[in-house]
Amino acid sequence: MLNTGFPVLSALILFPLVAAVVLFFLRGEQTIRVYTLVVSLIECILVLPLLGFDTTTAEFQFVERVAWIEAWNIYYYLGIDGISVLMILLTVLLFPICVLCSWKYIGKRVKEFHFCLLLMTTACIGIFSALDFILFYIFWEAMLIPMYLMIAVWGGPKRRYASLKFFIYTLTGSTLFLAAIVAFFINTGTFSIPELMEHRYTFQFQIWTFLAMALAFAIKVPMFPFHTWLPAAHVEAPTAGSVLLASILLKMGTYGFLRFSLPITPAASDFFAPLMITLGIISVIYGSFVALGQSDMKKLIAYSSVAHMGFVTLGIFVFVSRGMEGAIMHMVNHGIITGALFLMVGLIYERSHSREISENSGLSKHVPVYTSFLLLFTMAAFGFPGTNGFFSKLLVLLGVFEASYFLGVLFLFGLILGLAYLIRLMLNVGWGTPSKGAGWKDMNIREWIYLAPLGLLIIYLGVAPGRAMNFIGPSVENLLNNFEAERHLIIEPGLQPGPVIEQLIPGPILEQLQPGPSLEQLQPGPNIEDLRPGPILTSGYDSGCEIETGQKDEFAGPNLAKIQNNLLLKSKY
Amino acid sequence: MMPSILLQTIIVPALVALVILIFRFQLGKKSGWVAVLGLVYTTFLLLVALVEVYNGAPIKESYQLLKSPDISVTLMADGLSIAIALICNLLCLALGTYSIKYVAHRIEILYPETLGGRGEISYYSCFFYLFLFFPVGFMGVSFATDLVLMYFFLEILTLFLFFLMAYFGYYERVWVATMCLIWGVFSALMFLGGVVIIYSQVGSFQIDQIHMMAGEPLAFWAIALVLFGMFAKLAIVPLHVWMPWVHAEHPTCIAGLLAVYANIAAYIIVRMLVLPLWDDFQWFGPPIMIFAVITMIYGSLLTLAQTDMKRIPACSTISQSAYSMLGIGALTAASIEGGLFFFLSHIMGKTVFFSVCGMVVYITHTRNIRLLGGLATKMPLTAILFLCGGMMLAGIPPFSSFAAEVVMFAGIFERGDTLGLVVGIIGLLAILLTISYAVHFTRVIFFGPMPENIAKDDHIKDPPWTMTVPIILIIVVSGALGLYPTLVMELFEPVISAAVANM
Amino acid sequence: MDIQFAWLCLIFPLIGVLLTPILSRISTPVMNYGAVFFSFLTAASAVMMLPLLFSAERLPLESTFVWLHTPITVSFGVLLDPLSVIVANVVAVISFFIMIYCLGYMKGDPGIMRFWMLMNAFIGSMLLLVLANNLIIIFIGWKLVGLCSYGLIGFYYRDERKYWIGGPAPFAFDKPSACGVKAFIVTSVGDMLMLGGILIMYYYSGTFNVLELYQTAPEWIPVMADTPGMIILVSILLIAGPMGKSAQFPFQEWLPEAMSGPGPVSALIHAATMVKSGVFLIARFIPIFYYGYWTAGVEDAMYFFLIVAWVGAITAFLAASQGLVATELKKILAYSTVSQIGYMMLALGVAGFGQDILVKGYMAGTFHLMSHAMFKACLFLCAGTVIHAAHSIYIDDMGAMRKYLPFTWVFMGLATLSLIGVPPLPGFWSKETVLVATLESHHYMLFAIALVSVVFTAFYSTRYFAMIFHGKPSKHIRKETSKPGHHVGEGYRTQTFACGALAVGIVTFGIFGLKAEHAITDLVSLQLVTDLGLATVDHVYSYPKIMVVFLSVGSVLIGAVPAYFFYFSGRWNADAVYRNSKLIRMVHAFLWNRWYINSLYTFVFVRGFMGLARIVADKIEKAADALVQSRLPNGIFKISKGTVWFDQRAIDGVVDGTAYSVVNSGQLLSRIQTGRIQEYLALAVIIALTISGIIWLS
């Protein structure tokens, strides 16, 4: 519809950048704030054309491709598909909210702060729309600096420690990522992501590149052993920083998995899936436990992010369309919910100057509207039906159950733990032993303005998730189809795909599932076990497609009709 | 025939709640009556629907939320759900009326500083707009054809229960409310786990699709998970520990609905597990029966030892909800129908029992039964109502619980095996404990000599009519169903007997 | 038309119940007379059914409505057969007289409205029980009479001192409200077991309808017999209900305490009608088991009769022996009732022992039921008057009251004679039939027990009668009579009238005793043999009939004469006997304490269950509560604290520790902290290139 020649993505990326430059010529804190707000709102208007996203195709849309450094085959190459469009929308939506929530909170160096904000916006949108590796990497690194500054300059008492930690961690990851990029370039001679997806690589190469990229992403997510930078950064960061950190930055890790690991190194992803799933489930349970033990609200929410992002990781690495859709939706939903929760903490911090739960408890009497909002957001975080958190968690849960029942039960356990810490937060703050708070003002108009859209969005996405799901449907399907085709194909390290493999590459997957001779053909020979990469955690994990593995005879045999039916039902989505 | 009759029963209370919330200061103390009015309307609707269902086919309503992807909400009222919905709604109506005076009293005690001001009004209306979500939840659970929808309404119930408790409960109310919430969500999550397993097998959330997974080895796990969750809700020993707390510390005016909240799990089990997965469920029958019998005895003994006015019905709920489970566990058409009928009878009886306890607490301001006695002289009507409540629980004719017991135990013996025989006889003897505590507590509270402070207190008399009339109404309904059980049984018949006969 | 009277019998009391509160608004007398009027209408309707007995070939009549048809079939209906017509008449007519008595007895009681409602409700439910054609409906009536009984025993729910029973002083008292609870719970034990029996029977037979059960017995009894022990189980379960309601061993303990209700209530419920319902029901079950044993040849079916007979005999003996020493007038009568019902049970039990005794035993049970209802009602009504007059419930507080209560003396005397079994009063005839049936069954042990019980009966009857009306006035009665304007005298005229009417009935019935016996025999054989086609053989007397008469009268004399010398003439001194013999003292204590059965039950069941309940509540529940509500959450919090520690120390610590050690040792990275990020970036690029080189090389 609106796929006209207008370069929407470039506009979105460049406008904040230009605005940031203009910012330097402005004076007066209030002027700067209003100015940034206006800029952010204009950005919101600019993003509207993206709503014309074509939901029927998995192709990259709004593509812009301009040669940049031709010698190195580097292009200014932008484009979005279903996975990234939602993230961009989320980013743009959060931008004005960040401005509004910093209105009173940021008292010093206002200009610089807003400059950082604008830079962040540019970088984030760039990350989600870049289709060139180098471009992506530039945005990826560019995002670090304003974030680092936000923590280091406007942060809390231990800001130096926190910012450094944040920086070291993420930079370590970025370094490895860069290494992977270079390796790819050396192997293929191109930085274009779509082209890289087309290529096939040796198994060993995939393993190494996957590891290099995955570490970067795992740190960003953050996954279990690499998560400690997150609470530190969250606690010290100003509210806007926390919001951006939780809502956008963490998503970059999982986005990376979806954008790079799965399509480019499918065999390695398949190989490492048990590991990733293990780490994911550990993140969920471990994160929940640690969150339960926190007394600092911000830390609690930070650790809850660890757990929630564990859900997302799980959803991605079970390689089932439900799970993946759920994971993507949960990225968005978690962005909204956790962002909102950090805003709530910021709000109460402005009143009590403490983030301890014990010093902010029993508030329902004094600040009922605040409590209601907190309730809504925690309910959504927990996954109360009717809120957005429910739907995405349900989808992930479905996916996980489809993959393995053992995992599913662990997942349920994680959900119950999630209930525990969120209830602890909500009930203590809302209805606990009353602390101070008698004289506190309830929410003012500004706070209403930036919380209400989030609340509405939570309910909208909870009640009618379908519209948002439409965006991601084809992309996920495409991603999975390609992935399924390539995940087992590397038979020996170094062997290029030959005619035998061509034969095995399935077309549209449903056709392959039709009973009859083609199914026989698909049944793996006796040595499929040898061909598959060695299982690391097979006890807890089964790869998604049951027919191909041939392990579950009872499913493939007599109940074939039913499975077909199931698949048909699923594909109808 | 009215349009969207089922949807209306769900939406109207919610809308009335909204109206009360928005116009609370204009309505003032009238908000209670507004809520009651809304419930009268929905009761009327349900009666119309009942006639419709009774005369012919089930009512089915489908509402498309989204065209693409196709997301629609389907509500269905067949004999089973309409009977349950109607009784639940009736109880909501009765307890809504009952609450009008009770809540005012509760606010006087809990929030004395707000009296006379806007605070009082907002607390007062707060009760009613929260209360109205009970009918929403119950209707939703009854009519939902979709497991996710059912889950949604289950959670709605849990959530609003929490608020009512936290704002209007008794001692340690926030702690108990939290506990209730955790247990409620815990059981709902188990339910969700089962739902997801079912989905992974049949690829649909529709209840009428569940039968597709019959015979799958995973059906076992789905049933096990859902049962586990529902056992927690039904307070089957050893998952019962929340019940005495939660039911005792709730504001009495809604305590009756708690029994519904707990016991509606029986309906869910029948609707979602027993009927579609008949063969897979067989394995679970005997363990359920054994657990149910243990719970019946345990709960009754627990009740017998209570000295707290409100803990009596609370503990009795533990044993009573096990009866319906016993019926369901026996897995014959008669026992399942009897079990569900007992569920209906029990919630009516428990509402009466609880509410009368509430009346006594309301009038005498004490919960310790050791300080009471001889109240029948001053509160004759209350005494009779209490006794009626006890009899309704114990299954004394002419109350419907008797008919339910007969049908249920006939079904249990119909199993024809030793287990059925032994469990049936033990179950019948367990009823004795119910009878024992019913008459025991009647005696302790209402009979015997009066303590001096009660004899002197002129305020002790029968409560106002807004509290007694609804209770009498429930007793009359229970009596009527007891005298003519065919009405309910004919409603259940096409859903259960016919289905079971085909198994 | 006749069947409609049966419906009317059910409807009138119901109307009475519903109208009573309305009438009470008009005035109390209107309500009183209204309530009695409805019981009159009920009695009239019942009497209208009597002609059916004379055209008995038209019986049984049945009229039904469907009550429940899915998933089990229960039809609500009435059944008129000789048994039900007889018992219904007994119930309706006697209750009418008792209601008349109540007009006087209950005058001015504050709870009078409740009283009338419960009484009418009782009459209605009792008739429902008797007339119902269906075991479930019978059970409903059964439960309802229990409920009314509960309400009426605990009628004086305020537990004023004067309504306590038990004692006297050093011994424990029972409060009316507690007695009601006891009665209700003890009878319920039987009820619940019986319900189980009925439902198990339903499983095999597929019907609750009494006639259908008889008719389909050939089909389902053999099936039931296929399961070993099933018939015995069902027998025990089915018998348990009647044993509870009729206060038979081992459930006999509630009836003595049930005497704490008003006098007429004891007369109506706990002597004349409700306690007979057990007998009635056993009679209802007899054809089934008789068929099972004698026609279908199921050995186990005999247990039904054995149990019934033995329970009856044991109870007759046990209760009569307890009556020997009791001092509360109504309790003596209660023991007597239990004992007499034991006779009925005995008769019904032996009915199944031989094909020749069926009709005899069945008839004896029914006959004794009728006559006992009559004289025991009269006795209780008189006892009510006496207690009212004497202001004491103990017979040793009475004495020489004949001159104050001349009418009552006559009436009570007649009834007592009937109880003892003096010819030609009905008690004699009916008891004789029971004894004959027992003897002819050749179970001599049972016969011996029955005979000893006759001796006991004669003794205690003479004893209480003498202690009330003869002998020397006690201290208490002298005190009462010495008060100016004392109330020691006949009660209201209605009371005397009712007693008189019953006494007249006793005499009339007694005169026509033999005729009645024959009539009932005919009816019974018509019902059992002709209608139900039970296989019987004609009875040949193995003993001369006159022998039983001699034995019976002889036993009466053995019992009555010592009692006469002890209490009537005062020639022998009972106190001296008691003091002088240790054995007598021990026996007395044993009997006074009711064979210690009551204490045992109290200990085992009341204490036991309350103790168990306390254990459950205080120990198990507390422990479970603590475990789930506090230990578990605390445990989780502890784990979480542990994880937090681990997170900070282990995971974070390793990273930080490495960083710090690097920083401290080489100060390599210290410059970065000054903020020169670009250098760091450059470093990163270098590292990245190195690694990518490695990857490429690999």
Side-chain angles (χ1 to χ4, degrees), chain B residues 179 183 240-242 244-245 298 301-302 304-305 334 337 376-377 387 391 396-397 402 406-407 409-410 413-414 416 421 425 428-429 431-433 435-436 439 443 446-449 482-483 485-486 489-490 493 497, chain C residues 66-72 136 139-140 143-144 147 150 154 157-159 175 177-178 181 184-185 188-189 192-193 195-196 199-200 202-203 208 230 233 237 609-610 612-614 616-617 620-621 624-625 628-629:
Chain B
M179 191 168 81
W183 278 88
H240 66 282
V241 281
W242 61 282
W245 287 105
Y298 186 91
L301 286 175
L302 198 58
L304 211 49
E337 287 182 28
T377 316
L387 195 59
M391 298 295 137
I396 306 285
F402 171 71
V406 167
V407 175
F409 281 101
F413 288 122
E414 215 173 273
L421 202 65
I425 291 172
L428 280 168
L429 285 177
I431 296 177
L432 280 174
L433 290 170
I435 296 176
S436 304
V439 289
R443 169 164 181 254
F446 291 100
F447 295 166
L483 290 176
T486 313
M489 286 301 164
E490 275 186 352
E493 199 261 350
S497 294
Chain C
V66 170
W67 187 63
L68 189 60
H69 66 85
T70 169
I72 58 171
I136 290 298
F139 190 81
I140 291 179
K143 271 302 209 196
L144 287 177
L147 202 57
Y150 163 71
Y157 64 85
R158 258 159 290 184
D159 295 343
K175 296 171 188 164
S177 61
V181 169
F184 197 59
I185 294 175
S188 293
V189 178
M192 285 304 149
L193 290 174
L195 184 62
L199 293 174
I200 295 174
Y202 174 80
Y203 166 58
F208 290 117
M230 185 57 81
L233 176 69
L237 292 178
F609 271 98
M610 285 313 267
L612 200 59
R614 286 250 70 89
V616 165
I620 304 176
E621 178 67 14
D625 211 36
V628 180
Q629 313 282 25

Side-chain angles (χ1 to χ4, degrees), chain C residues 142-157:
Chain C
W142 185 270
K143 271 302 209 196
L144 287 177
V145 291
L147 202 57
C148 297
S149 154
Y150 163 71
L152 285 167
I153 294 171
F155 184 75
Y156 302 116
Y157 64 85

